[in-house]
Amino acid sequence: MAEDAVKVAPEIYKVVLENDQVRVLEVRMAPGAKTDVHGHPALVAIMLEAGKVRFSESGGETTEMELPAGQPMYLPATDHTTENTGDGELHGYLVELKR
């Protein structure tokens, strides 16, 4: 797995809870912001504000996603870059699963 998201982009990802089961990251990403390559284990994302992102995986695949506010979404483990392609700040929580 690629470098940890919090180490790669501490201005975007902040650990708000961690135990032996999960790690919860708060995400705040300005419009147009883009991260370097980083990795996440399988996770549940819950956005507080709706947004649009582009994920570019290390294998070259690119995925555009609409992230609705308040709707939990499961995302499998991945290494990628993230770009906020929407007009507003991307704000939400990522619940990374440890088991």
Side-chain angles (χ1 to χ4, degrees):
M1 184 166 278
E3 189 77 35
D4 181 75
V6 176
K7 291 180 182 172
V8 169
E11 70 284 2
I12 294 171
Y13 300 102
K14 176 183 171 188
V15 177
V16 294
L17 173 77
E18 185 166 12
N19 60 35
D20 62 335
Q21 302 292 313
V22 298
R23 180 173 79 156
V24 180
L25 305 180
E26 181 178 21
V27 178
R28 287 188 172 271
M29 188 175 205
K34 184 176 179 179
T35 68
D36 288 333
V37 175
H38 62 279
H40 294 281
L43 61 83
V44 175
I46 305 165
M47 305 314 297
L48 300 177
E49 304 287 336
K52 294 180 183 181
V53 294
R54 178 180 300 122
F55 296 120
S56 299
E57 295 185 25
S58 50
E61 185 177 328
T62 299
T63 305
E64 303 272 342
M65 286 186 74
E66 297 263 346
L67 304 174
Q71 180 179 330
M73 300 180 319
Y74 172 80
L75 300 171
T78 186
D79 295 341
H80 63 209
T81 63
T82 304
E83 182 178 359
N84 181 351
T85 57
D87 296 330
E89 179 185 50
L90 192 61
H91 183 212
Y93 292 95
L94 306 180
V95 181
E96 295 179 335
L97 307 174
K98 292 189 174 183
R99 294 185 184 199

